[in-house]
Amino acid sequence: MSNDQQSIEIFVTLDGAEHKFIGSEGQRLVEVMDAAEFVSPTTCRQGDCATCMCQLEEGSVEMLQNQTLDKHDIERGWILACQAVPTSKRIRVVYPS
């Protein structure tokens, strides 16, 4: 992480367990989890399959691509981890059980 990049606190709940990661500005959520060797639900990594769909409970993200979620899903806080780039210093997501 270069000196001009901000660190991002990321909390992920999967299968009832919460995990904390530190990412850097501009990283997609799935990239942060991959760097920590954390196995998260993901398949295509293109925003097409929705395997990585999770609900944003805190913070904000920008999705680079979205081929599967509709406006109603997004309004309810659903995001695609493979395409979500945090835009706040802290985010919290929960994968469905």
Side-chain angles (χ1 to χ4, degrees):
M1 183 172 9
S2 70
N3 291 336
D4 61 340
Q5 285 186 315
Q6 299 277 334
S7 63
I8 311 292
E9 275 189 318
I10 299 169
F11 296 88
V12 175
T13 301
L14 176 63
D15 296 330
E18 184 174 80
H19 309 272
K20 180 181 178 183
F21 305 97
I22 302 295
S24 59
E25 200 171 45
Q27 278 186 298
R28 293 178 297 145
L29 180 55
V30 76
E31 292 172 332
V32 174
M33 291 185 284
D34 285 349
E37 297 182 4
F38 181 77
V39 179
S40 65
T42 186
T43 301
C44 76
R45 297 178 178 254
Q46 303 298 316
D48 291 331
C49 71
T51 303
C52 66
M53 190 169 113
C54 54
Q55 197 157 31
L56 182 66
E57 293 195 337
E58 180 182 344
S60 58
V61 300
E62 175 185 347
M63 284 199 298
L64 303 176
Q65 298 286 327
N66 173 25
Q67 308 302 322
T68 58
L69 301 178
D70 63 25
K71 182 180 175 182
H72 181 68
D73 293 330
I74 293 167
E75 288 171 352
R76 290 182 28 222
W78 291 103
I79 63 169
L80 302 172
C82 74
Q83 297 300 309
V85 176
T87 56
S88 58
K89 292 185 181 197
R90 177 182 167 124
I91 68 166
R92 184 177 307 274
V93 299
V94 176
Y95 281 92
S97 299

